[in-house]
Amino acid sequence: VNGLVNDKQGRKMSKSVGNTVNPWDVIPKHGADPLRWYLLANSPPWQAKSFDQEGVAEADRRIFGTLWPCLSFFRLYADVDGWTPATPCVPVTERPALDRWLCSRLHSLTRDYRAAMESFDPMKATRFLGSFITDELSNWYIRRNRARFWKSKDVADKNAAYATLHEALRTTAFLLAPIAPFSAHHLHQELRCADGLASVHLGDMPRCDAACIDTVLEHRMAAVMAVVSLGRAARESARLKVRQPLLRLIASGPDLAALQGLKDETLAREVREELNVKELVVAERSGPYCTIQVKPHLPVLGPRLGKRLGALKAALANLSEEQLASLEAQGELVLDLGDGPITFNSAELLVERKGREGFAVASAAGFMAALDTTVTPELECEGLARELINRIQTQRKAMDLKVTTRITLRIGGGTEVLAAVQAHGARIAAETLATEISSAAELGPEAVALDLDGIAATLLLQPVGDGA
C-alpha cells in the first residue's frame, strides 16, 4: 500500500511528510473488514487512491450496517419457528416468484463475481456483491417478504422463504470471504449451516449453475424494481407518504418485454403493495399523463452536429405526437435537418417529463411512473388506519414486546379516528397481533397521546401473552 495511497489533498502518504494514517486508529473504530472493503471497492489495488476515513465509515454503514440486520432478521424468526437448514422444503422451481428470482440472482452474482475475481478485478467483484447485499437482498427481497416470516399461516410458504434467505446469506458468506474474512466467518457460523465446515474459509467458492438462472424473470424483476423506485420518487415530489393509499400507478417505457412482467399478477402485486396503490396500469405511451420535452444531449451531439445543432433544437421543439410516440416505443428518433435523415438514439437525447394535472411523474432510464394523486375520503380513511398501525408498532417496540406477543387495543379520538377503526379494525388487529380492539371518543389519563399527521388520537395497549 505504501506509495499507492494518497491523503485527501492528493499527496502520497509518507512518514517524512507526516500525513500517514495509523491503521490502529481506523480499525478499532470501524473494523478491519470495512477498511479492506473500502480499499478494494474504490479502485484497483495496484492504482494510487486517495484515502478518506469517512469512506471507511460509509462502507461500514452501507454494507455491513445492512448485512448484519439481514442476519438478525433471519435468526430472529428462524429461532421463533424452530426452522433449521434440515427443515424439509419444496424445490426452488415450486417456490413463489420472489424466491425463484433471488435464487436466480445468486447464480448470476456468483457467475459475475467469479469472472471478475479470475480477471484480477476485485474492485468489480466487491461492487457486484455490495449492490446485491444492499439493493436486492435487503431493500427488495427481505423488504417485500417480511410478512411471510411473521404473519404467514402457510407453513410450506414460510419454509420456502427461510430456505431461500438462508441460501442467499450462506452464498454471501462464501463470496465475502476473500474480501472481509472476519465478517464472512461470523456470518457462516451464525447461519448454523449444515455443510459441516468449521469455517467458511475451509469450503469451496460457490459455482454458478446456468440452469438455475432465469434471465426473463430477472429482466422483468429489474423493471419492477425500476418502476417502484420511480413511484417512490413521484410520491416524494407530490409529498404523499407511502402509508397513504392511492388509486393507481401508470408505468410505461420502450422496453415492452421488461414491462410485460408488470402485467403478471404476481409481479404486479409486488408493485401495488410496495407503492400502496389500488391499480397498476401498463401504458404504451406516457403522453396522456405527462408533458414531454426533448432536448439534445450537448456533450454528445455538440461535436457531432456542430452548426446544425440549432436546427436540431428547433426540430425537437416541434415534434409531433407520432414522433414522440416513436421515440417512446423505439428509443430512437429520425429527423431531417436539411441534409438528409439522421437517426438519434436515447443516449443522445434528454427527455424531460412533467405530470399533467392530477398526476405526479418520475422517469429514468427509459421508464416512467405516473401516480394518480387524487385522494378520496375512503383512501384518506385507509391512510389514517395505516398511520395508526405504524404508531401501534412503535409503541410495541417501546414496550419491548416480543414479536409473538398478543395485545389488546383501545383507541380514542375524534370522528376520523373512530371511522378508521370501524372500517379497518380487522386489519389493524391482524397487523399488530391484537386479540381485541375497541374505540371510544375519550380514554383515561393513562392513554398514550398520538399525533397522526395532525390528527390527535390516544392509545391503550396491553400485552396478553405470546401466541403462534
Side-chain angles (χ1 to χ4, degrees):
V1 174
N2 187 31
L4 290 176
V5 180
N6 305 331
D7 62 15
K8 287 193 288 186
Q9 285 73 44
R11 301 173 300 176
K12 289 189 183 297
M13 287 189 180
S14 170
K15 289 184 179 180
S16 61
V17 177
N19 63 347
T20 58
V21 175
N22 187 338
W24 299 114
D25 291 336
V26 179
I27 293 174
K29 187 174 183 180
H30 303 293
D33 284 348
L35 175 59
R36 288 169 62 94
W37 185 284
Y38 167 77
L39 292 174
L40 287 171
N42 274 14
S43 64
W46 51 86
Q47 288 185 2
K49 63 192 71 185
S50 296
F51 183 82
D52 181 6
Q53 191 167 166
E54 181 54 37
V56 182
E58 173 63 17
D60 191 11
R61 288 191 298 268
R62 191 175 69 86
I63 304 300
F64 299 92
T66 300
L67 179 61
W68 300 132
C70 291
L71 173 64
S72 297
F73 175 86
F74 170 79
R75 282 291 307 273
L76 173 65
Y77 291 103
D79 289 348
V80 166
D81 288 328
W83 186 91
T84 71
T87 301
C89 182
V90 297
V92 172
T93 54
E94 299 177 21
R95 298 179 195 176
L98 273 171
D99 292 354
R100 290 185 280 110
W101 166 78
L102 188 65
C103 291
S104 177
R105 284 296 304 130
L106 281 175
H107 286 273
S108 297
L109 170 67
T110 300
R111 176 197 61 204
D112 298 340
Y113 178 97
R114 288 185 67 106
M117 283 296 200
E118 289 166 3
S119 298
F120 303 101
D121 194 348
M123 179 186 72
K124 184 180 290 187
T126 302
R127 290 182 177 181
F128 283 150
L129 183 57
S131 177
F132 173 79
I133 292 171
T134 58
D135 300 333
E136 297 176 313
L137 180 62
S138 176
N139 290 338
W140 187 246
Y141 182 79
I142 291 179
R143 180 185 177 90
R144 290 301 314 137
N145 281 288
R146 286 183 179 275
R148 292 175 68 193
F149 292 92
W150 68 270
K151 191 169 63 174
S152 175
K153 300 297 184 182
D154 187 337
V155 176
D157 179 66
K158 184 180 287 192
N159 287 341
Y162 280 126
T164 303
L165 181 53
H166 182 272
E167 182 59 24
L169 290 169
R170 179 182 177 276
T171 300
T172 297
F174 279 90
L175 299 182
L176 190 64
I179 303 168
F182 303 109
S183 298
H185 174 81
H186 177 71
L187 177 59
H188 182 265
Q189 294 294 100
E190 288 294 306
L191 289 172
R192 304 166 186 168
C193 298
D195 51 25
L197 297 174
S199 172
V200 68
H201 302 293
L202 297 177
D204 295 330
M205 183 64 64
R207 290 188 176 276
C208 164
D209 183 350
C212 296
I213 298 177
D214 187 336
T215 54
V216 173
L217 180 58
E218 287 193 28
H219 194 50
R220 289 182 172 181
M221 193 67 78
V224 168
M225 294 169 69
V227 169
V228 165
S229 177
L230 292 174
R232 291 180 189 144
R235 271 189 175 272
E236 290 178 7
S237 69
R239 298 183 179 179
L240 290 167
K241 285 188 173 183
V242 175
R243 284 192 288 274
Q244 174 58 62
L246 296 175
L247 287 172
R248 57 178 174 154
L249 170 79
I250 297 92
S252 72
D255 193 343
L256 296 179
L259 286 173
Q260 195 68 25
L262 275 67
K263 295 182 179 180
D264 178 275
E265 175 55 26
T266 301
L267 299 184
R269 184 174 62 248
E270 301 297 337
V271 178
R272 292 197 304 268
E273 292 179 357
E274 183 66 16
L275 293 178
N276 195 11
V277 295
K278 301 299 182 183
E279 182 183 9
L280 172 63
V281 178
V282 179
E284 292 185 2
R285 294 191 54 226
S286 62
Y289 312 101
C290 65
T291 59
I292 304 174
Q293 185 176 16
V294 185
K295 298 179 180 179
H297 190 196
L298 296 179
V300 176
L301 289 178
R304 176 185 172 187
L305 296 180
K307 294 181 179 180
R308 292 180 295 171
L309 195 58
L312 174 62
K313 291 180 179 179
L316 293 178
N318 294 283
L319 292 177
S320 66
E321 289 293 322
E322 292 74 16
Q323 288 173 313
L324 288 173
S326 175
L327 176 59
E328 284 194 288
Q330 307 298 330
E332 61 181 28
L333 186 64
V334 179
L335 295 174
D336 190 338
L337 303 182
D339 53 358
I342 302 177
T343 301
F344 300 94
N345 60 45
S346 57
E348 297 171 320
L349 301 173
L350 302 176
V351 181
E352 297 180 358
R353 293 178 172 88
K354 293 184 179 179
R356 296 187 186 276
E357 184 69 26
F359 290 94
V361 168
S363 62
F367 292 104
M368 182 229 52
L371 278 172
D372 187 333
T373 57
T374 305
V375 179
T376 64
E378 292 78 14
L379 292 175
E380 192 170 5
C381 179
E382 184 180 344
L384 187 58
R386 283 176 171 262
E387 291 291 347
L388 265 171
I389 291 170
N390 176 261
R391 302 306 193 279
I392 294 168
Q393 300 289 37
T394 300
Q395 185 63 19
R396 284 181 62 102
K397 291 180 181 178
M399 296 173 66
D400 198 26
L401 300 183
K402 296 179 180 179
V403 295
T404 56
T405 299
R406 302 288 178 173
I407 60 174
T408 60
L409 286 174
R410 294 189 65 200
I411 300 171
T415 304
E416 293 171 298
V417 175
L418 299 182
V421 175
Q422 182 177 4
H424 302 282
R427 179 175 186 171
I428 295 172
E431 294 280 349
T432 61
L433 298 186
T435 58
E436 180 184 336
I437 182 170
S438 61
S439 59
E442 294 185 9
L443 303 180
E446 66 273 23
V448 176
L450 304 177
D451 179 2
L452 307 175
D453 285 341
I455 298 176
T458 53
L459 172 69
L460 277 173
L461 187 159
Q462 295 291 332
V464 294
D466 290 348

